[in-house]
């Protein structure tokens, strides 16, 4: 494993021309990230500068040490609900500790090479929880978008909406106008200019309007009396077993979401630049980034799909763009942070509503509703569980359902052929089978052998007549087996022994043979009952039956 930045330097893949393009792309992405980082910080329940600190430190490290050439890291909308709930339950210190713990978990995941496991998570689950997070994130912005006067907004989804409807009389018309105007600007500005992000234009227009017209709306300054523009001193929290036990579940939630979102973002980026990222190096970089963010009082970070895509579209092709993005944000924070007090809360809510809409993947969600019923069920349950409960519960339930549905599908598609009944043998073998008059049964499994298919075998065994003496199992299409397959074969063997039937195996591939031998099944079935070909097995079975008749 090697960071992509060092790999590109080592192999001289960064040219002077590209460096200039990366610098420009980094500055453009910083302009996009500035309002987002502030908005995400506030929506997460922390002060505005925490979002910028996260984008600066985590963003730099993710680009410098990451396994992707163009990944842009920082706070994302997917984390807002999780961070807010952690702060409610454990306070800011609990969040910082959980963020550092999550970083350590991510590093361990990368070292153990868990990065490739992302491909085993079905699209129905990723779209389900992404869409669920989008709905939940949008629901958190209603208070500021409408300017509602609510002291403490409930964390639960339905209770939150009940609070909104109950306090709708406190609606601030000017906040609503600014929010709607901001969404219109963000939506239509790209038709005028695609270089300057619409979110930045909306923020500037809304801020100037509130300041010049002295509009009665809530601003960052009225909500947060003090906004720091200095970099805090890193502080390492005190860990104890009690703290680790208490915060392990929240930390695992952060780690899982960071891993999923960063690797999905890296996959999207690969398609845009025709490159391949190092998923394990990316996880390690994400881990170090989150540890660093926590030490400086920041919030969890991960790869941001929208900012990564903007980086590529702006000409970024190396990690330099991501590092420039972080440095630009640092300079902006040190110089212009005091001006952030004038930003109205409703424009930040509007920006995050657009972010929610973009991350909802509603077109993909709609297309998946036309998929097989089992996929639709997994999609909807993951979606609903994300909204009602949390990400870990949603992914856990979704994965369990997907696993059982996959097993069922494999069981349904695995075919057990009765080769004697199909009469697939040549004339010579057919004559041998005629002589034994149904005492030899030969089966071929077209598909994997595992516990889900053994019941069908056992059912066939129960249907066999007492005259059957030998059952031959052709394993030519079984290229790999695991412990579950051994258990299935052991149960099959036990059933054969119960009926006094001799079980033989043929065409056993290399990997299955090693597993059968190592786990003791070869001894159970008898090495003499394992043959290279069916012809050999049939001839030996014929001799065995003749021997029984004589004795």
């Amino acid at each position: 494993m090697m960071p992509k930045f060092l790999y590109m330097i080592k192999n001289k893949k960064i040219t002077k021309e590209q460096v200039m393009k990366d610098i420009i792309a980094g500055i453009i992405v910083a302009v996009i990230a500035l309002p987002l980082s502030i908005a995400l910080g506030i929506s997460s329940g922390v002060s505005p500068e925490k979002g910028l600190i996260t984008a600066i430190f985590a963003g730099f490290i993710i680009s410098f040490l990451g396994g992707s050439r163009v990944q842009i890291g920082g706070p994302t909308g997917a984390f807002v609900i999780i961070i807010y709930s952690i702060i409610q339950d454990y306070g800011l210190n609990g969040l910082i500790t959980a963020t550092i713990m999550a970083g350590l978990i991510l590093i361990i995941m990368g070292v153990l090479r868990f990065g490739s496991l992302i491909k085993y998570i079905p699209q129905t689950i990723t779209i389900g929880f992404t869409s669920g997070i989008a709905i939940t994130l949008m629901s958190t912005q209603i208070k500021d978008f409408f300017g509602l006067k609510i002291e403490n907004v409930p964390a639960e989804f339905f209770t939150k909406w009940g609070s909104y409807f109950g306090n709708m009389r406190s609606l601030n018309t000017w906040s609503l106008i600014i929010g709607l105007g901001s969404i219109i600007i963000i939506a239509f500005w790209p038709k005028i200019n695609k270089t300057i992000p619409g979110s930045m234009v909306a923020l500037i227009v809304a801020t100037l309007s509130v300041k010049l017209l002295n509009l009665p709306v809530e601003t960052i300054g009225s909500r947060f009396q003090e906004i720091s523009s200095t970099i805090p001193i890193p502080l390492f929290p005190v860990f104890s077993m009690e703290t680790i036990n208490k915060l392990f579940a929240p930390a695992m939630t952060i780690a899982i979401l960071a891993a999923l979102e960063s690797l999905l973002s890296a996959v999207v980026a690969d398609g845009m630049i025709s490159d391949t990222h190092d998923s394990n190096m990316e996880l390690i970089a994400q881990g170090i980034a989150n540890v660093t963010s926590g030490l400086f009082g920041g919030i969890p970070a991960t790869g941001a799909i929208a900012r990564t895509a903007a980086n590529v579209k702006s000409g970024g092709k190396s990690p330099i763009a991501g590092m420039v993005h972080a440095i630009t944000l640092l300079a902006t924070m040190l110089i212009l942070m005091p001006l952030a007090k004038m930003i109205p809360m409703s424009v930040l809510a509007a920006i995050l509503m657009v972010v929610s809409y973009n991350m909802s993947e509603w077109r993909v969600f709609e297309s998946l509703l036309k998929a097989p019923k089992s996929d639709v069920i997994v999609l909807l349950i993951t979606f609903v569980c994300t909204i009602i409960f949390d990400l870990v519960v949603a992914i856990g339930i979704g994965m369990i359902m997907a696993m059982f549905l996959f097993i069922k599908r494999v069981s349904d598609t695995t075919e057990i052929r009765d080769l004697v009944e199909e009469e697939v043998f040549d004339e010579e073998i057919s004559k041998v089978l005629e002589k034994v008059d149904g005492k030899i049964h030969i089966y071929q499994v077209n598909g994997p052998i595992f516990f889900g298919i053994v019941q069908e075998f056992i059912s066939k065994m129960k249907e066999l007549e007492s005259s059957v003496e030998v059952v031959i199992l052709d394993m030519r299409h079984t290229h790999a087996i695991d412990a579950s397959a051994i258990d299935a074969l052991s149960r099959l063997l036990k059933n054969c022994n119960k009926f006094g039937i001799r079980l033989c195996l043929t065409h056993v591939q290399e990997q299955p043979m090693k597993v059968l031998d190592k786990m003791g099944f070869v001894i159970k079935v008898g090495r003499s009952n394992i043959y290279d070909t069916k012809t050999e097995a049939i001839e030996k079975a014929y001799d065995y039956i003749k021997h029984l008749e004589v004795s």
Side-chain angles (χ1 to χ4, degrees):
M1 290 185 288
M2 178 185 291
K4 209 71 168 182
F5 181 54
L6 299 181
Y7 170 81
M8 294 183 74
I9 292 176
K10 182 180 178 181
N11 292 276
K12 299 180 180 179
K13 292 184 177 291
I14 301 178
T15 63
K16 291 182 179 180
E17 292 180 357
Q18 186 56 52
V19 169
M20 289 305 302
K21 291 181 180 179
D22 288 330
I23 291 173
I24 294 170
I27 293 171
I28 292 172
V29 174
V31 172
I32 297 171
L34 179 64
L36 279 176
S37 300
I38 293 173
L40 290 168
I42 293 172
S43 295
S44 299
V46 298
S47 54
E49 74 274 9
K50 301 292 186 185
L52 281 175
I53 288 171
T54 305
I56 291 166
F57 287 99
F60 186 90
I61 291 172
I62 288 171
S63 294
F64 181 63
L65 297 178
S68 171
R69 285 167 52 185
V70 293
Q71 181 90 284
I72 300 295
T76 65
F79 276 123
V80 168
I81 311 305
I82 296 170
I83 296 171
Y84 188 83
S85 62
I86 292 174
I87 292 176
Q88 293 293 311
D89 294 336
Y90 307 104
L92 184 58
N93 289 333
L95 172 66
I96 292 171
T97 305
T99 302
I100 293 173
M101 288 174 61
L104 297 174
I105 292 170
L106 283 165
I107 293 171
I108 293 171
M109 290 170 66
V111 171
L112 295 179
R113 299 184 181 277
F114 283 2
S116 58
L117 296 180
I118 186 72
K119 64 185 177 184
Y120 296 110
I121 298 179
Q123 185 191 28
T124 48
I125 291 178
T126 57
I127 296 299
F129 82 72
T130 301
S131 299
I133 289 172
I135 295 294
T136 311
L137 174 60
M138 184 174 289
S139 72
T140 63
Q141 304 308 308
I142 300 300
K143 172 182 176 290
D144 290 335
F145 188 82
F146 288 93
L148 303 178
K149 295 179 181 179
I150 305 175
E151 189 72 24
N152 292 308
V153 179
E156 294 77 15
F157 182 79
F158 293 109
T159 311
K160 183 190 278 103
W161 277 96
S163 175
Y164 291 152
F165 288 122
N167 290 274
M168 199 53 75
R169 290 183 179 179
S170 64
L171 181 147
N172 185 319
T173 306
W174 285 113
S175 290
L176 178 59
I177 291 172
I178 290 171
L180 290 173
S182 298
I183 289 178
I184 293 171
I185 291 173
I186 295 170
F188 290 98
W189 179 257
K191 295 181 180 181
I192 300 172
N193 187 301
K194 293 184 178 181
T195 303
I196 302 173
S199 58
M200 179 58 74
V201 175
L203 186 144
I204 293 171
V205 171
T207 303
L208 289 175
S209 299
V210 171
K211 184 66 177 176
L212 296 175
L213 301 176
N214 196 26
L215 300 178
V217 298
E218 187 178 23
T219 63
I220 291 178
S222 62
R223 180 176 295 186
F224 301 94
Q225 299 303 319
E226 294 184 6
I227 302 176
S228 176
S229 60
T230 59
I231 300 300
I233 299 172
L235 294 174
F236 199 87
V238 178
F239 283 93
S240 65
M241 283 307 299
E242 182 182 356
T243 303
I244 292 172
N245 290 334
K246 183 173 66 175
L247 293 172
F248 182 76
M252 184 59 73
T253 303
I254 294 171
I256 291 173
L257 181 54
L260 287 173
E261 191 167 6
S262 64
L263 294 182
L264 286 172
S265 175
V267 169
V268 172
D270 286 348
M272 297 180 73
I273 62 173
S274 301
D275 189 44
T276 303
H277 73 281
D278 184 336
S279 56
N280 297 307
M281 190 66 240
E282 186 64 26
L283 288 181
I284 292 173
Q286 296 286 339
I288 296 172
N290 276 280
V291 170
T292 306
S293 178
L295 291 177
F296 282 93
I299 59 178
T302 185
I305 296 176
R307 274 160 274 174
T308 299
N311 178 33
V312 175
K313 291 177 181 178
S314 301
K317 291 291 176 64
S318 82
I320 291 175
M323 290 186 279
V324 169
H325 138 267
I327 294 170
T328 305
L329 287 175
L330 174 61
T332 304
M333 177 180 172
L334 296 175
I335 299 170
L336 301 177
M337 197 60 190
L339 299 177
K341 290 184 177 182
M342 296 185 292
I343 299 174
M345 298 301 299
S346 53
V347 70
L348 297 180
I351 290 171
L352 289 186
M353 280 187 165
V354 174
V355 169
S356 301
Y357 174 81
N358 291 333
M359 72 180 287
S360 66
E361 300 279 6
W362 67 269
R363 288 186 178 86
V364 180
F365 191 98
E366 185 181 29
S367 66
L368 286 175
L369 291 175
K370 301 173 184 176
K373 289 183 180 179
S374 57
D375 288 331
V376 175
I377 291 171
V378 172
L379 172 71
L380 294 178
I381 287 181
T382 305
F383 174 71
V384 172
C385 286
T386 302
I387 293 173
I388 297 176
F389 302 110
D390 60 42
L391 178 73
V392 172
V393 172
I395 292 179
I397 294 175
M399 285 299 292
I400 290 171
M401 289 191 61
M403 178 183 70
F404 281 114
L405 289 169
F406 174 76
I407 291 171
K408 185 180 183 302
R409 283 177 183 171
V410 172
S411 299
D412 291 343
T413 56
T414 297
E415 178 188 17
I416 302 176
R417 297 176 59 192
D418 187 334
L419 300 185
V420 176
E421 189 176 300
E422 293 181 18
E423 299 181 354
V424 298
F425 300 103
D426 57 30
E427 187 177 347
E428 185 178 346
I429 296 298
S430 296
K431 286 181 180 180
V432 173
L433 294 175
E434 286 177 10
K435 289 179 183 179
V436 297
D437 191 23
K439 293 182 180 180
I440 298 176
H441 279 242
I442 306 166
Y443 298 100
Q444 183 182 87
V445 183
N446 290 342
I449 299 176
F450 70 113
F451 63 89
I453 202 67
V454 74
Q455 290 299 331
E456 189 171 346
F457 266 115
I458 292 174
S459 296
K460 286 185 177 293
M461 294 300 104
K462 291 179 179 178
E463 294 171 3
L464 294 175
E465 299 176 3
S466 59
S467 60
V468 176
E469 303 287 351
V470 180
V471 169
I472 298 173
L473 179 61
D474 183 350
M475 296 180 63
R476 70 172 67 232
H477 297 303
T478 305
H479 298 286
I481 60 174
D482 58 7
S484 297
I486 297 297
D487 176 65
L489 289 172
S490 296
R491 292 168 65 188
L492 178 61
L493 176 62
K494 183 179 179 180
N495 212 64
C496 285
N497 292 336
K498 178 181 176 181
F499 288 95
I501 299 171
R502 185 175 182 178
L503 177 64
C504 300
L505 308 179
T506 72
H507 298 97
V508 183
Q509 305 296 318
E510 183 179 356
Q511 192 273 351
M513 191 63 196
K514 288 181 180 178
V515 178
L516 290 171
D517 196 11
K518 191 174 181 179
M519 296 191 70
F521 185 81
V522 172
I523 296 175
K524 290 181 182 179
V525 75
R527 196 175 294 273
S528 61
N529 290 322
I530 300 177
Y531 302 96
D532 292 332
T533 65
K534 283 195 297 292
T535 301
E536 183 184 2
I538 292 169
E539 290 174 351
K540 294 293 183 182
Y542 177 75
D543 293 340
Y544 169 73
I545 292 170
K546 286 300 181 184
H547 176 73
L548 289 178
E549 290 176 351
V550 172
S551 60

